[in-house]
Amino acid sequence: MIQVKNLVKRYGDQKAVDNLSFTIEKGQIYGFLGPNGAGKSTTMNIMTGYLAATEGEVLIDGHNILEEPEEAKRHIGYLPEIPPVYMDMTVGEYLRFVAELKKIPKAEREKQIDDIMELVKITDMEHRLIKNLSKGYRQRVGLAQAVIGYPDIIILDEPTVGLDPKQIIEIRELIKTLGKNHTIILSSHILSEVSAVCDYIMIISHGKLIASDTPENLSEMMVGSNTLELTVKGERGTIVSEFASIPGMDAINYVDSEEDGCTDVTIQTPKNVDLREEIFYKMAGKNCPILKMHFTTISLEDVFLELTQNPDLLEQKDEEAAENRDDVAADEKSEVE
Ligand code: ADP
Ligand code: MG
């Protein structure tokens, strides 16, 4: 649906976009995730034909965005970082103006505008001047203009920035609704936003794509270990020997607890190892009650911070993954033989 190939955008000697390549398939919600200055807006402006790339190309449904802009742009609706709304128009006037620009046939215009106003819930605002709308409603008008013409792909640059929490939830819901009938690409510097809405995340840092996968796989890939924190009451010797009989731990550490007669135990286990039940029964069997048990696994937030601060980590992870694949391939081969 969209192919981005070796995109580079230079401003002087700075590369805002640095050899970016990816493919967007139909029917998913994609998230561009990256800190401010990562190159998200620049990439989106190039993909939508608002900005020329220094190198590389963008194909929309096979059409080069620069060589066949009309064909390519027909497939795209775009809400840039600053919504292109005219403050002195009413909502209705503005949407009619956009429909005309997008060459929506006259006979279809009114129905389409009514339907889209209904969809983004601005029907009551039709006769209001845009300058008198709240930021949340202005953003809905921005969304409406992107949806006019029902393009296959809707690109939204930081669609919830500057909105209050209630408006953010409403816009997210709206994006999910739009995602049922359109391919959506949205950008955000907030991880929770992207993981709440998107099926697929592309992490961008310093103009480079440093990771792209489903939210689940991204956290899975980076999960090194689980941590289990416990406070156990009882004699230290008993506790230590009992834990020593449980296999599957990477590391264990004991310290005196703030609670009288208790030991704080911290355990690291490999991913996919969960010893909680076994520990519960063992300690119960020795009359050593567990007063606290807390299980943590690395969150996607940690992954994002780690990746954007230390992109080399990903290469290491990739190499590990490649080695694992080689192992599997070798195993499969030996089975065949
Ligand atoms: P994001 O949207 O991820 O915050 P941008 O795409 O806006 O990032 O910017 C990427 C980098 O390119 C930043 O370092 C920014 O300062 C730089 N940049 C963006 N636009 C221009 C411009 N018109 N002239 C010079 N530098 C720019
Ligand atoms: Mg931006």
Side-chain angles (χ1 to χ4, degrees), residues 208-285:
K208 289 193 169 87
L209 184 66
I210 56 170
S212 65
D213 215 320
T214 60
E216 298 74 30
N217 286 350
L218 278 178
S219 23
E220 171 81 2
M221 176 171 65
M222 292 299 292
V223 173
S225 62
N226 298 323
T227 303
L228 194 56
E229 293 166 338
L230 303 123
T231 301
V232 187
K233 191 170 174 181
E235 214 226 326
R236 174 73 64 93
T238 315
I239 294 172
V240 171
S241 68
E242 220 35 38
F243 273 108
S245 70
I246 301 173
M249 294 180 195
D250 283 340
I252 184 159
N253 183 44
Y254 305 93
V255 293
D256 288 335
S257 177
E258 283 179 1
E259 297 228 34
D260 257 358
C262 293
T263 299
D264 284 343
V265 186
T266 309
I267 299 168
Q268 304 287 338
T269 59
K271 59 178 171 181
N272 309 328
V273 172
D274 183 356
L275 300 172
R276 284 175 295 180
E277 290 188 17
E278 190 172 355
I279 290 170
F280 171 86
Y281 288 117
K282 287 252 176 189
M283 293 301 131

XYZ file of all heavy atoms in Angstrom, residues 208-285:
592
model
N 16.224 7.531 12.183
C 16.387 6.119 11.784
C 15.272 5.273 12.382
O 14.804 5.539 13.488
C 17.714 5.568 12.309
C 18.953 6.082 11.638
C 20.123 5.189 12.066
C 21.367 5.435 11.262
N 22.197 6.505 11.806
N 14.902 4.239 11.633
C 13.936 3.277 12.160
C 14.732 2.276 12.991
O 15.565 1.548 12.446
C 13.243 2.575 10.988
C 12.142 1.601 11.344
C 10.973 2.333 11.977
C 11.664 0.862 10.102
N 14.504 2.268 14.301
C 15.350 1.390 15.109
C 14.623 0.127 15.543
O 15.243 -0.825 15.970
C 15.949 2.111 16.332
C 14.862 2.740 17.194
C 16.940 3.176 15.884
C 15.389 3.236 18.504
N 13.318 0.087 15.416
C 12.591 -1.148 15.715
C 11.204 -1.033 15.123
O 10.644 0.063 15.053
C 12.491 -1.370 17.217
N 10.654 -2.143 14.670
C 9.264 -2.113 14.224
C 8.653 -3.481 14.403
O 9.199 -4.480 13.947
C 9.162 -1.658 12.766
O 9.768 -2.590 11.925
N 7.562 -3.510 15.134
C 6.893 -4.778 15.410
C 5.573 -4.487 16.131
O 5.244 -3.335 16.395
C 7.787 -5.658 16.294
C 7.657 -7.141 15.943
O 6.510 -7.568 15.670
O 8.669 -7.839 15.942
N 4.859 -5.553 16.465
C 3.646 -5.370 17.268
C 4.071 -4.970 18.683
O 5.194 -5.300 19.104
C 2.848 -6.676 17.359
O 3.683 -7.662 17.976
C 2.426 -7.165 15.988
N 3.194 -4.285 19.422
C 3.557 -3.919 20.791
C 3.979 -5.161 21.598
O 4.959 -5.114 22.334
C 2.276 -3.309 21.364
C 1.489 -2.862 20.195
C 1.862 -3.756 19.045
N 3.275 -6.258 21.420
C 3.579 -7.478 22.178
C 4.979 -7.985 21.850
O 5.767 -8.286 22.743
C 2.573 -8.598 21.868
C 1.123 -8.302 22.242
C 0.450 -7.313 21.294
O 0.839 -7.303 20.101
O -0.423 -6.545 21.728
N 5.294 -8.077 20.546
C 6.609 -8.598 20.165
C 7.741 -7.691 20.596
O 8.812 -8.169 20.935
C 6.691 -8.816 18.649
C 5.903 -10.037 18.228
O 5.460 -10.809 19.077
N 5.718 -10.202 16.938
N 7.484 -6.377 20.557
C 8.536 -5.451 20.970
C 8.884 -5.673 22.431
O 10.061 -5.712 22.788
C 8.101 -3.996 20.759
C 8.260 -3.448 19.354
C 7.748 -2.025 19.308
C 9.700 -3.500 18.901
N 7.887 -5.819 23.283
C 8.246 -6.036 24.692
C 8.848 -7.424 24.870
O 9.823 -7.589 25.576
C 7.099 -5.806 25.666
O 5.880 -5.929 25.073
N 8.295 -8.405 24.161
C 8.807 -9.779 24.243
C 10.305 -9.825 23.898
O 11.107 -10.416 24.610
C 8.010 -10.658 23.270
C 8.536 -12.042 23.075
C 8.119 -12.988 24.197
O 7.387 -12.549 25.108
O 8.535 -14.139 24.150
N 10.641 -9.125 22.792
C 12.014 -9.152 22.294
C 13.006 -8.654 23.345
O 14.124 -9.113 23.439
C 12.092 -8.270 21.046
C 13.462 -8.127 20.461
S 13.378 -7.289 18.875
C 12.793 -5.677 19.328
N 12.542 -7.658 24.112
C 13.463 -7.016 25.034
C 13.399 -7.584 26.445
O 14.203 -7.226 27.285
C 13.158 -5.514 25.093
C 13.463 -4.785 23.818
S 15.207 -4.901 23.368
C 15.934 -3.933 24.681
N 12.439 -8.429 26.695
C 12.321 -8.940 28.053
C 13.505 -9.838 28.353
O 13.667 -10.888 27.752
C 11.006 -9.726 28.255
C 11.011 -10.386 29.616
C 9.816 -8.812 28.150
N 14.364 -9.408 29.239
C 15.507 -10.226 29.603
C 15.143 -11.135 30.752
O 15.450 -12.314 30.764
N 14.450 -10.583 31.724
C 14.140 -11.382 32.903
C 12.925 -10.831 33.626
O 12.505 -9.706 33.401
C 15.336 -11.371 33.844
O 15.595 -10.053 34.263
N 12.391 -11.681 34.481
C 11.339 -11.259 35.392
C 11.960 -11.074 36.764
O 12.914 -11.754 37.119
C 10.260 -12.329 35.489
C 9.587 -12.567 34.163
O 9.382 -11.637 33.401
N 9.255 -13.819 33.887
N 11.382 -10.160 37.505
C 11.858 -9.938 38.868
C 10.721 -10.239 39.832
O 9.583 -9.836 39.614
C 12.311 -8.477 39.058
O 13.313 -8.194 38.100
C 12.864 -8.248 40.448
N 11.085 -10.980 40.895
C 10.106 -11.321 41.920
C 10.639 -10.815 43.254
O 11.752 -11.149 43.659
C 9.957 -12.849 41.937
C 8.800 -13.467 42.675
C 7.476 -12.924 42.178
C 8.830 -14.980 42.494
N 9.844 -9.963 43.903
C 10.261 -9.431 45.200
C 9.346 -9.970 46.286
O 8.124 -9.898 46.143
C 10.181 -7.897 45.195
C 11.174 -7.236 44.269
C 10.827 -5.770 44.030
O 9.655 -5.385 44.220
O 11.736 -5.026 43.656
N 9.960 -10.511 47.336
C 9.159 -11.111 48.397
C 9.600 -10.630 49.765
O 10.758 -10.294 49.965
C 9.333 -12.633 48.407
C 9.011 -13.393 47.150
C 10.210 -14.174 46.714
C 7.841 -14.309 47.377
N 8.645 -10.631 50.699
C 8.988 -10.500 52.109
C 8.461 -11.764 52.784
O 7.266 -12.068 52.709
C 8.334 -9.249 52.721
O 8.785 -8.104 51.990
C 8.710 -9.095 54.189
N 9.395 -12.533 53.377
C 9.022 -13.822 53.968
C 9.338 -13.801 55.454
O 10.405 -13.354 55.864
C 9.795 -14.978 53.295
C 9.271 -16.326 53.790
C 9.674 -14.892 51.771
N 8.396 -14.301 56.244
C 8.575 -14.331 57.694
C 9.077 -15.714 58.095
O 8.548 -16.723 57.631
C 7.227 -14.042 58.366
C 7.308 -13.784 59.847
C 5.946 -13.281 60.317
C 5.885 -13.127 61.805
N 4.554 -12.653 62.232
N 10.106 -15.745 58.981
C 10.606 -17.041 59.453
C 12.112 -17.021 59.599
O 12.767 -16.014 59.366
N 12.633 -18.156 59.945
C 14.059 -18.271 60.197
C 14.833 -18.206 58.880
O 14.477 -18.896 57.905
C 14.304 -19.614 60.889
C 15.413 -19.583 61.896
C 16.314 -20.778 61.693
O 15.811 -21.851 61.316
O 17.519 -20.605 61.862
N 15.895 -17.401 58.869
C 16.645 -17.183 57.613
C 17.154 -18.510 57.017
O 17.007 -18.763 55.820
C 17.814 -16.221 57.872
C 18.765 -16.022 56.702
C 18.177 -15.184 55.569
N 17.896 -13.829 55.956
C 18.724 -12.791 55.820
N 19.896 -12.961 55.273
N 18.369 -11.598 56.214
N 17.728 -19.362 57.864
C 18.296 -20.633 57.388
C 17.260 -21.486 56.674
O 17.519 -22.031 55.591
N 16.077 -21.566 57.241
C 15.000 -22.347 56.638
C 14.625 -21.761 55.282
O 14.475 -22.480 54.285
C 13.735 -22.309 57.541
O 14.119 -22.527 58.876
C 12.708 -23.315 57.083
N 14.492 -20.438 55.261
C 14.087 -19.765 54.022
C 15.116 -20.024 52.924
O 14.779 -20.449 51.814
C 13.917 -18.243 54.268
C 12.740 -17.997 55.219
C 13.705 -17.498 52.950
C 12.591 -16.561 55.678
N 16.401 -19.844 53.281
C 17.466 -20.006 52.281
C 17.498 -21.435 51.746
O 17.549 -21.652 50.527
C 18.843 -19.603 52.884
C 19.977 -19.977 51.924
C 18.876 -18.111 53.177
N 17.409 -22.410 52.624
C 17.525 -23.788 52.127
C 16.296 -24.168 51.303
O 16.389 -24.923 50.334
C 17.762 -24.777 53.280
O 16.605 -24.851 54.079
N 15.170 -23.620 51.675
C 13.948 -23.921 50.910
C 14.024 -23.323 49.490
O 13.722 -23.997 48.505
C 12.750 -23.367 51.679
C 11.501 -24.191 51.723
C 11.699 -25.694 51.775
O 12.610 -26.233 52.425
O 10.879 -26.343 51.110
N 14.468 -22.067 49.400
C 14.609 -21.437 48.069
C 15.662 -22.169 47.234
O 15.520 -22.304 46.023
C 14.975 -19.943 48.194
C 13.774 -19.046 48.319
C 13.458 -18.429 49.516
C 12.958 -18.819 47.216
C 12.336 -17.617 49.629
C 11.843 -17.998 47.323
C 11.531 -17.397 48.533
N 16.708 -22.661 47.922
C 17.788 -23.347 47.195
C 17.272 -24.607 46.500
O 17.860 -25.076 45.523
C 18.923 -23.686 48.153
N 16.139 -25.138 46.989
C 15.611 -26.372 46.390
C 14.709 -26.097 45.180
O 14.165 -27.007 44.587
C 14.827 -27.150 47.447
O 13.623 -26.456 47.742
N 14.530 -24.787 44.853
C 13.660 -24.469 43.705
C 14.532 -24.215 42.472
O 15.355 -23.299 42.474
C 12.800 -23.223 44.000
C 11.942 -23.458 45.250
C 11.930 -22.857 42.798
C 11.189 -22.238 45.729
N 14.384 -25.015 41.423
C 15.197 -24.776 40.227
C 14.621 -23.648 39.365
O 13.463 -23.251 39.558
C 15.100 -26.111 39.485
C 13.810 -26.715 39.933
C 13.480 -26.168 41.286
N 15.447 -23.124 38.446
C 14.940 -22.181 37.449
C 15.212 -20.727 37.736
O 14.692 -19.844 37.062
N 16.053 -20.446 38.749
C 16.348 -19.043 39.054
C 17.681 -18.636 38.434
O 18.614 -19.431 38.377
C 16.473 -18.846 40.569
C 15.187 -19.074 41.316
S 15.487 -18.798 43.065
C 14.018 -19.557 43.742
N 17.747 -17.370 37.996
C 19.030 -16.843 37.511
C 19.848 -16.288 38.667
O 21.067 -16.368 38.674
C 18.800 -15.724 36.488
C 18.410 -16.272 35.133
O 18.692 -17.459 34.888
O 17.822 -15.517 34.336
N 19.143 -15.678 39.619
C 19.845 -15.073 40.749
C 18.875 -14.911 41.900
O 17.663 -14.803 41.703
C 20.399 -13.710 40.347
N 19.435 -14.930 43.114
C 18.601 -14.708 44.295
C 19.414 -13.921 45.316
O 20.625 -14.078 45.402
C 18.069 -16.050 44.864
C 17.115 -15.789 46.039
C 19.219 -16.965 45.282
C 16.182 -16.956 46.323
N 18.736 -13.054 46.042
C 19.425 -12.184 46.973
C 18.566 -12.031 48.235
O 17.347 -11.894 48.145
C 19.628 -10.824 46.281
C 20.392 -9.872 47.144
O 21.390 -10.250 47.757
N 19.914 -8.645 47.231
N 19.225 -12.112 49.408
C 18.500 -11.994 50.679
C 18.971 -10.776 51.453
O 20.170 -10.545 51.549
C 18.773 -13.225 51.562
C 18.470 -14.548 50.893
C 19.474 -15.242 50.217
C 17.207 -15.108 50.969
C 19.209 -16.463 49.616
C 16.936 -16.332 50.370
C 17.947 -17.004 49.696
O 17.684 -18.200 49.110
N 18.065 -9.987 51.995
C 18.454 -8.919 52.941
C 17.451 -8.887 54.101
O 16.301 -9.323 53.951
C 18.508 -7.511 52.290
C 19.629 -7.404 51.276
C 17.177 -7.136 51.671
N 17.918 -8.346 55.255
C 17.005 -8.199 56.394
C 15.879 -7.253 56.011
O 16.109 -6.214 55.397
C 17.749 -7.614 57.600
C 18.703 -8.644 58.195
O 18.437 -9.845 58.013
O 19.708 -8.233 58.816
N 14.675 -7.621 56.357
C 13.525 -6.791 56.024
C 13.315 -5.704 57.064
O 13.804 -5.809 58.193
C 12.275 -7.669 55.947
O 11.145 -6.882 55.704
N 12.591 -4.657 56.683
C 12.186 -3.647 57.670
C 11.214 -4.264 58.660
O 11.069 -3.802 59.789
C 11.516 -2.463 56.963
C 12.508 -1.539 56.299
C 11.825 -0.388 55.586
O 10.570 -0.301 55.637
O 12.548 0.420 54.978
N 10.527 -5.301 58.217
C 9.559 -5.973 59.102
C 10.298 -6.939 60.022
O 11.180 -7.672 59.568
C 8.546 -6.761 58.251
C 7.732 -5.858 57.355
C 6.248 -6.170 57.448
O 5.777 -6.555 58.547
O 5.574 -6.042 56.425
N 9.889 -6.931 61.281
C 10.556 -7.778 62.281
C 10.499 -9.254 61.905
O 9.454 -9.754 61.506
C 9.850 -7.601 63.640
C 10.661 -6.706 64.553
O 11.761 -6.285 64.102
O 10.209 -6.447 65.681
N 11.630 -9.945 62.052
C 11.660 -11.391 61.836
C 11.437 -11.803 60.398
O 11.053 -12.945 60.123
N 11.658 -10.877 59.473
C 11.394 -11.176 58.062
C 12.643 -10.978 57.206
O 13.561 -10.258 57.580
C 10.294 -10.269 57.508
S 8.688 -10.586 58.225
N 12.631 -11.629 56.044
C 13.701 -11.475 55.067
C 13.095 -10.992 53.751
O 12.057 -11.492 53.330
C 14.390 -12.842 54.826
O 14.940 -13.283 56.066
C 15.489 -12.732 53.782
N 13.770 -9.998 53.158
C 13.358 -9.581 51.806
C 14.157 -10.392 50.796
O 15.386 -10.428 50.862
C 13.636 -8.091 51.588
C 12.610 -7.211 52.293
O 11.524 -7.744 52.658
O 12.875 -6.013 52.488
N 13.457 -11.016 49.884
C 14.102 -11.883 48.898
C 13.843 -11.314 47.503
O 12.700 -10.979 47.185
C 13.534 -13.323 48.974
C 14.302 -14.262 48.056
C 13.537 -13.835 50.403
N 14.883 -11.155 46.708
C 14.713 -10.709 45.320
C 15.229 -11.793 44.397
O 16.362 -12.267 44.555
C 15.488 -9.400 45.066
O 15.139 -8.467 46.083
C 15.130 -8.812 43.702
N 14.378 -12.187 43.460
C 14.719 -13.306 42.574
C 14.632 -12.856 41.121
O 13.679 -12.169 40.735
C 13.727 -14.481 42.798
C 13.828 -14.976 44.235
C 13.972 -15.612 41.806
C 12.718 -15.917 44.624
N 15.620 -13.212 40.330
C 15.556 -12.993 38.874
C 15.310 -14.339 38.213
O 15.980 -15.313 38.537
C 16.886 -12.443 38.341
C 17.377 -11.169 38.996
C 16.578 -9.960 38.568
O 15.936 -9.978 37.516
N 16.578 -8.923 39.382
N 14.368 -14.344 37.290
C 14.153 -15.575 36.519
C 14.191 -15.232 35.036
O 13.950 -14.093 34.662
C 12.784 -16.215 36.825
O 11.762 -15.267 36.509
C 12.665 -16.634 38.275
N 14.494 -16.217 34.194
C 14.423 -15.955 32.751
C 12.987 -15.621 32.368
O 12.055 -15.939 33.110
C 14.837 -17.282 32.123
C 15.463 -18.080 33.208
C 14.868 -17.603 34.485
N 12.819 -15.004 31.189
C 11.453 -14.729 30.755
C 10.707 -16.060 30.612
O 11.312 -17.112 30.420
C 11.438 -13.943 29.445
C 12.131 -14.602 28.275
C 11.987 -13.727 27.053
C 12.854 -14.251 25.925
N 12.759 -13.432 24.735
N 9.420 -15.985 30.725
C 8.545 -17.161 30.649
C 8.683 -18.115 31.842
O 8.120 -19.199 31.826
C 8.757 -17.983 29.368
C 8.690 -17.123 28.134
O 7.956 -16.136 28.105
N 9.438 -17.485 27.120
N 9.470 -17.732 32.840
C 9.525 -18.560 34.048
C 8.806 -17.806 35.163
O 9.108 -16.660 35.441
C 10.983 -18.859 34.461
C 11.021 -19.552 35.822
C 11.660 -19.705 33.403
N 7.833 -18.464 35.749
C 7.040 -17.846 36.802
C 6.987 -18.825 37.973
O 6.361 -19.878 37.875
C 5.641 -17.546 36.255
C 4.773 -16.830 37.281
O 5.228 -16.639 38.423
O 3.628 -16.474 36.919
N 7.681 -18.482 39.064
C 7.814 -19.421 40.181
C 6.864 -19.113 41.328
O 6.991 -19.673 42.412
C 9.256 -19.395 40.699
C 10.339 -19.781 39.687
C 11.707 -19.525 40.288
C 10.190 -21.226 39.256
N 5.922 -18.206 41.108
C 5.126 -17.717 42.228
C 4.389 -18.816 42.991
O 4.423 -18.874 44.216
C 4.123 -16.656 41.760
C 4.780 -15.328 41.494
C 3.826 -14.341 40.919
N 3.355 -14.749 39.598
C 2.495 -14.050 38.875
N 1.967 -12.956 39.373
N 2.145 -14.461 37.683
N 3.739 -19.718 42.259
C 2.935 -20.741 42.947
C 3.823 -21.713 43.712
O 3.534 -22.068 44.856
C 2.058 -21.484 41.938
C 0.971 -20.592 41.404
C -0.045 -21.336 40.552
O -0.092 -22.583 40.626
O -0.781 -20.668 39.814
N 4.902 -22.118 43.059
C 5.812 -23.059 43.702
C 6.360 -22.481 45.003
O 6.405 -23.158 46.039
C 6.949 -23.387 42.730
C 7.799 -24.529 43.225
C 8.823 -25.001 42.202
O 8.815 -24.494 41.059
O 9.631 -25.867 42.575
N 6.748 -21.201 44.936
C 7.287 -20.547 46.133
C 6.216 -20.476 47.227
O 6.471 -20.759 48.397
C 7.816 -19.139 45.777
C 9.081 -19.269 44.923
C 8.091 -18.320 47.034
C 9.557 -17.957 44.314
N 5.020 -20.139 46.820
C 3.919 -20.064 47.791
C 3.774 -21.386 48.559
O 3.750 -21.409 49.788
C 2.611 -19.729 47.055
C 1.381 -19.842 47.919
C 0.974 -18.773 48.700
C 0.645 -21.026 47.968
C -0.160 -18.874 49.503
C -0.472 -21.138 48.771
C -0.882 -20.061 49.543
N 3.708 -22.503 47.837
C 3.476 -23.791 48.507
C 4.675 -24.213 49.359
O 4.523 -24.725 50.463
C 3.121 -24.873 47.481
C 1.730 -24.675 46.902
C 1.530 -24.421 45.559
C 0.609 -24.730 47.751
C 0.258 -24.224 45.041
C -0.671 -24.529 47.236
C -0.837 -24.280 45.889
O -2.096 -24.082 45.392
N 5.891 -23.969 48.836
C 7.100 -24.327 49.598
C 7.138 -23.591 50.933
O 7.411 -24.185 51.974
C 8.348 -23.964 48.795
C 8.596 -24.888 47.631
C 9.790 -25.784 47.898
C 9.939 -26.762 46.732
N 10.920 -27.791 46.976
N 6.903 -22.286 50.879
C 6.989 -21.483 52.099
C 5.866 -21.854 53.069
O 6.076 -21.940 54.279
C 6.934 -19.978 51.773
C 8.137 -19.471 51.023
S 9.671 -19.739 51.939
C 10.672 -20.482 50.671
N 4.695 -22.104 52.515
C 3.564 -22.507 53.360
C 3.901 -23.818 54.065
O 3.627 -23.994 55.260
C 2.298 -22.645 52.516
N 4.543 -24.730 53.332
C 4.909 -26.037 53.886
C 5.885 -25.913 55.057
O 5.943 -26.778 55.930
